[in-house]
Amino acid sequence: MGLSKADKKKLESEVISNEARLKLTRLVRKRCASNDNNVSLINRNHFINVGRTVLDLPIYRLEPDDMGMYMNEEFGWHIAETELIMRRPDTVQLVEILADMLQQGMLDTRSVNRILADDNSSVRFKTEGFDEDIEVAILSETELEEENVDPDHPNIRVLTQRMDQAFEAKDYAGVLHASANIFETLAKLVFNNPNVENQTLASLFDGYRNRSELPVPLLDYILATYKRRNVEPLAGHGATNPPTVTAKDATILIEMTRMCVRLERRLALQELDAVPTTRPGGNVGESIGTTPATPAKNPAKAKSSTAKTKPKPKKKR
C-alpha cells in the first residue's frame, strides 16, 4: 500500500486536469448521496477524512446532538469540503487518496481508471492478491499508446521523460529543447483556450503571464529559457557550432522545470480554494527565494475550508 519513492518521483510532473478532478468529484457526490440526510452527511465525513489524512490535516469528528441531529452549519461545511477533496491535493496526494478510497470500497476502480485514461494520465489502479489489495500502476509511454491514448495530446509527463533521456545521453542542448517545450505546454494548459494551441510561447506569453500564478522572476526565467532555446545551437535549430549548455546548466533546467510545473499547480489551487498548500514554517515564496505568495483573497473562505471547531448550533435539520 502507498506509493514508493520511485513512483512519487515519476509522478512529480504528471498533470491530472481540473476536468478529470471534476469527474472524480462527481463520483464522490454520487457515493455520498442518500435519501437520509444524516446518512449522506456521515458518508461525506468519511470521504473528507480519508482525504484529510493523506494531506496531514486534522480529522473532523462528526458528532450529533442528544437527539441524533446535526446543525445546518455541519451540512454546509461538509458540502463545501466534498468539492475540495479531489481539487486540493497535488498529483501524488491525489493518487494516494484515490488508492485509499478504492481500498475501502468507497469508489469503483473501473470508473476511476476510465476517468484517468480519458485524461491521458499514466496512473492506473489494479487489484492484486487474495486480499484484493489496491496497487498503483504507472504506465510507460508504450503502454499508454497500446491503450489507444492520443500520443499527440499535450502531456508534460512525456516531455519530462524526453528531458531526462536527453540528460542521460549527455545531450544538454536536448534538455534545453525539452524544457522549453514543457514550458510552452504548461502555458497552453494554463491558458486553457484552443485558439492558442498553434501559437508559440513568445506570441502567447503576455496572456500566460496575466493568467499564471507564478512569481514574476519565475515567469521571466521561463521566457528566457524559451528565448535561449531559439538561439542555442542544436536546441532550436541545426548548427555547425557546438552547444554552450553545460551539464550544470542542464541540471538546473531540469529541476527548475519540474518545480515550475508543480508550483503552477499548487498556486492555482491555492487561489481557487483559498487554502494554504505549504507546510508549516514557511510559504511558497520563501522556499524559492522570492516574495511570499499572494494571500488568499477570501480569508473567511480559507478559514472555513480548514475548520477545526464545531459551528455554533442554530437550527436543527
Side-chain angles (χ1 to χ4, degrees):
M1 292 292 294
L3 293 171
S4 66
K5 289 183 178 180
D7 288 338
K8 291 179 180 180
K9 184 70 175 178
K10 291 178 182 178
L11 291 174
E12 281 184 349
S13 299
E14 180 89 20
V15 175
I16 297 179
S17 70
N18 284 336
E19 181 179 359
R21 290 167 184 263
L22 174 58
K23 292 178 181 178
L24 292 169
T25 301
R26 288 170 177 159
L27 289 183
V28 173
R29 292 180 197 147
K30 186 174 181 179
R31 285 303 184 101
C32 290
S34 172
N35 292 329
D36 187 319
N37 286 335
N38 284 359
V39 172
S40 177
L41 182 65
I42 293 170
N43 291 341
R44 289 179 183 274
N45 183 258
H46 188 193
F47 274 95
I48 289 167
N49 280 330
V50 169
R52 291 174 73 85
T53 298
V54 172
L55 296 177
D56 196 25
L57 295 173
I59 298 301
Y60 190 93
R61 184 174 179 179
L62 184 63
E63 296 179 345
D65 61 18
D66 294 339
M67 300 294 292
M69 304 294 287
Y70 298 98
M71 295 174 287
N72 287 341
E73 287 81 357
E74 291 281 24
F75 288 89
W77 186 87
H78 280 79
I79 289 171
E81 281 289 309
T82 301
E83 299 302 304
L84 294 173
I85 296 171
M86 300 298 169
R87 298 178 69 89
R88 181 182 288 156
D90 61 27
T91 300
V92 172
Q93 292 168 335
L94 178 62
V95 170
E96 292 193 321
I97 288 171
L98 289 172
D100 285 350
M101 291 179 175
L102 291 169
Q103 185 67 48
Q104 296 186 51
M106 300 165 69
L107 294 175
D108 175 64
T109 304
R110 182 179 300 178
S111 298
V112 171
N113 281 339
R114 186 183 303 116
I115 291 172
L116 295 173
D118 290 344
D119 197 50
N120 198 28
S121 169
S122 66
V123 177
R124 298 292 183 275
F125 296 96
K126 57 182 180 179
T127 303
E128 293 286 349
F130 179 79
D131 294 330
E132 297 187 341
D133 288 332
I134 294 295
E135 298 290 340
V136 179
I138 302 177
L139 305 185
S140 66
E141 186 175 354
T142 301
E143 290 170 324
L144 283 172
E145 290 176 359
E146 289 175 353
E147 282 196 349
N148 295 320
V149 177
D150 180 8
D152 294 326
H153 182 77
N155 192 307
I156 292 177
R157 180 191 58 81
V158 173
L159 292 171
T160 302
Q161 286 181 347
R162 293 176 185 170
M163 182 171 63
D164 291 339
Q165 290 167 359
F167 185 83
E168 291 174 3
K170 297 183 179 180
D171 177 12
Y172 304 132
V175 172
L176 173 60
H177 178 80
S179 172
N181 283 351
I182 290 172
F183 287 141
E184 185 169 84
T185 303
L186 179 64
K188 290 176 179 179
L189 287 170
V190 171
F191 223 103
N192 194 26
N193 186 334
N195 293 330
V196 305
E197 193 59 40
N198 294 323
Q199 295 185 28
T200 65
L201 179 59
S203 63
L204 62 85
F205 196 82
D206 287 342
Y208 168 55
R209 187 186 289 274
N210 291 334
R211 290 166 174 79
S212 175
E213 296 294 334
L214 294 178
V216 171
L218 284 183
L219 290 168
D220 292 341
Y221 178 84
I222 289 173
L223 184 58
T225 299
Y226 182 80
K227 289 180 177 179
R228 183 179 181 185
R229 190 280 303 268
N230 291 339
V231 298
E232 180 69 29
L234 303 186
H237 306 282
T240 58
N241 295 325
T244 63
V245 185
T246 66
K248 181 178 179 180
D249 293 335
T251 300
I252 294 172
L253 274 169
I254 290 172
E255 294 305 319
M256 289 293 290
T257 303
R258 292 181 186 276
M259 182 187 70
C260 286
V261 171
R262 295 194 301 268
L263 193 56
E264 185 75 82
R265 173 68 185 165
R266 292 183 66 179
L267 291 177
L269 288 176
Q270 184 175 356
E271 180 70 17
L272 175 67
D273 300 330
V275 175
T277 56
T278 55
R279 296 183 180 276
N283 56 43
V284 173
E286 291 171 348
S287 69
I288 60 173
T290 62
T291 55
T294 304
K297 293 182 178 179
N298 189 342
K301 186 176 180 183
K303 183 178 180 180
S304 66
S305 66
T306 56
K308 298 181 182 178
T309 58
K310 297 285 186 182
K312 294 182 180 180
K314 289 187 179 179
K315 294 182 179 180
K316 292 184 177 179
R317 184 166 177 173

